[in-house]
Amino acid sequence: MKRLAGLLAVTALLSACSTTSANTQTTPPLVLATTTTVVATTTSAPLLNPASGEKAIMCDSKAVSALYGEKVKLEKCTSNWAFGDTDRDSWNCPDTGCTHTRLFHLENNTWVNTASCQRTLPLTRYAMSCYIPNVGAATLAQLPPSDVACLIWPANTFLKYTAETGCTPSKTDIVAQMNGACTGYYNAVEFPVEKCDQGRAVRLMQERLKKAGYNTNVDGYFGPSMAKAVYDFQGTAKLQQTGMIDQATWLALEPNQSSLPGTDTNADGVVGPNELK
C-alpha cells in the first residue's frame, strides 16, 4: 500500500521513542466553518478484537500513574484502555514527539502497558507496527477492541485508513489531519492525492483550485493550506469533505480530462496521477 514499502517489521530491540530530530514548519491552525463534532464510531473492523461498547472518558493520568507505578501522560482513554506515554518516554523523545506510543489496559485493578505501537499507523497493522517491550512482536491479545481503537488511537481515524479500520473520523479528526505539518513530501502516483504529496498531479490540481477562486499556492507541494482549499471545494461541490483529492474530487476539479497532460491508459475516463506525463 501507499508509502509502506520503506517500513521494517518492528522487533523487541526497538525503543518506544525515536531519538531522531526533525525540523517542522509551523503552520497557523485551520478553522472550518462548522463547529459540529461527531464522535468517532466503527462499522466493522475484522482485523481487530470485537467491539466492546466502551465510551471515551476524560483521562485521569494521576490515577493511572498511581496504579501503573510510573508517571504517565495520557492522551485518550476509555474505562479500560488508555493511550499515552510515560515521563521517561517524553524526556527521550524529540520535540516533534515520540514515534511510538504506549497502550495501557486495566487488568485486575492494575494498569499495565500491553504494547507500544507506531503512532502513524493504524492498529489494524499491529503485526508490523506494535511490540511488547522487552518481549517481542505484539499479538491481537495486546490490542483493544475495534471500537476502542477508533476512540483512542489517532491513526485509526486517518482518512487513508478508515476503509480497513472501520472508523468514522469526526470533523475534529479531519481538522487535525489538515493542520498537521509535513516532515517530508512524497510523489503523488495514485488516488487519493493528499497532504504531504508533491509533484505534477499536485500542481495541476492547485492550478484548478486557484482558477476556481480557492486560496492555495501553486508550487507542487500539498500542504495544509491546499488541504483546506480542497475541503472547501468539496463542500461547494457537495462531495465528501476529506481535504484529500480522490477520483471524484479530481473529476470535479477537471471535468475535461482530455485537457490534462497524459493518457487514459486504462480507459476508465480518468487521466489519473500515474498517467500524467
Side-chain angles (χ1 to χ4, degrees), residues 36 42 56 63 103 111 124 141 149 152 161 163 181 185 193 203 211 225:
T36 303
T42 179
L103 281 168
W111 284 92
T124 45
I152 70 171
Y161 298 133
Y185 286 86
V193 180
R203 188 179 186 91
K211 184 178 179 180
S225 64

Side-chain angles (χ1 to χ4, degrees), residues 27-38 157-159 169-181 195 223-225 227-228 231-232 241-244:
T27 304
L30 302 174
V31 179
L32 303 184
T34 178
T35 57
T36 303
T37 299
V38 181
T157 57
F158 285 3
L159 293 162
S170 68
K171 292 189 184 299
T172 301
D173 294 324
I174 296 173
V175 172
Q177 291 175 50
M178 292 197 301
N179 274 333
K195 186 165 70 68
S225 64
K228 175 64 164 55
Y231 184 95
D232 290 343
Q241 289 181 276
T242 63
M244 302 189 303

Side-chain angles (χ1 to χ4, degrees), residues 185-234:
Y185 286 86
Y186 305 83
N187 287 327
V189 295
E190 63 182 2
F191 292 119
V193 180
E194 58 189 322
K195 186 165 70 68
C196 303
D197 276 349
Q198 67 175 357
R200 189 71 177 277
V202 173
R203 188 179 186 91
L204 287 169
M205 292 303 105
Q206 287 174 330
E207 291 172 353
R208 270 64 180 177
L209 285 165
K210 197 80 170 179
K211 184 178 179 180
Y214 293 90
N215 183 28
T216 184
N217 295 328
V218 181
D219 56 7
Y221 292 92
F222 198 140
S225 64
M226 182 177 177
K228 175 64 164 55
V230 171
Y231 184 95
D232 290 343
F233 171 81
Q234 289 169 328

Side-chain angles (χ1 to χ4, degrees), residues 98-113:
C98 298
T99 59
H100 285 71
T101 301
R102 301 183 187 226
L103 281 168
F104 297 94
H105 186 222
L106 184 61
E107 299 177 3
N108 299 320
N109 295 319
T110 300
W111 284 92
V112 297
N113 172 205

Side-chain angles (χ1 to χ4, degrees), residues 2-217:
K2 192 174 183 181
R3 300 182 190 148
L4 289 181
L7 290 175
L8 299 177
V10 178
T11 68
L13 297 178
L14 288 175
S15 66
C17 300
S18 169
T19 57
T20 302
S21 297
N23 294 324
T24 57
Q25 182 178 358
T26 302
T27 304
L30 302 174
V31 179
L32 303 184
T34 178
T35 57
T36 303
T37 299
V38 181
V39 176
T41 58
T42 179
T43 52
S44 62
L47 299 180
L48 290 177
N49 294 308
S52 65
E54 289 185 48
K55 304 297 182 183
I57 63 172
M58 187 74 71
C59 291
D60 189 343
S61 294
K62 186 175 181 180
V64 174
S65 297
L67 291 173
Y68 180 62
E70 188 175 349
K71 187 175 181 180
V72 298
K73 297 180 179 180
L74 302 178
E75 298 182 42
K76 294 186 178 182
C77 303
T78 65
S79 55
N80 292 299
W81 288 90
F83 153 76
D85 293 304
T86 66
D87 254 5
R88 181 179 55 197
D89 295 327
S90 300
W91 296 335
N92 292 330
C93 287
D95 292 340
T96 50
C98 298
T99 59
H100 285 71
T101 301
R102 301 183 187 226
L103 281 168
F104 297 94
H105 186 222
L106 184 61
E107 299 177 3
N108 299 320
N109 295 319
T110 300
W111 284 92
V112 297
N113 172 205
T114 63
S116 291
C117 302
Q118 187 172 332
R119 291 181 65 105
T120 56
L121 289 177
L123 293 181
T124 45
R125 303 188 184 185
Y126 63 89
M128 67 184 304
S129 66
C130 298
Y131 68 97
I132 307 170
N134 302 317
V135 176
T139 68
L140 198 58
Q142 285 80 47
L143 300 180
S146 58
D147 55 346
V148 171
C150 288
L151 292 170
I152 70 171
W153 195 259
N156 268 48
T157 57
F158 285 3
L159 293 162
K160 68 177 82 176
Y161 298 133
T162 53
E164 68 181 78
T165 64
C167 301
T168 302
S170 68
K171 292 189 184 299
T172 301
D173 294 324
I174 296 173
V175 172
Q177 291 175 50
M178 292 197 301
N179 274 333
C182 295
T183 57
Y185 286 86
Y186 305 83
N187 287 327
V189 295
E190 63 182 2
F191 292 119
V193 180
E194 58 189 322
K195 186 165 70 68
C196 303
D197 276 349
Q198 67 175 357
R200 189 71 177 277
V202 173
R203 188 179 186 91
L204 287 169
M205 292 303 105
Q206 287 174 330
E207 291 172 353
R208 270 64 180 177
L209 285 165
K210 197 80 170 179
K211 184 178 179 180
Y214 293 90
N215 183 28
T216 184
N217 295 328

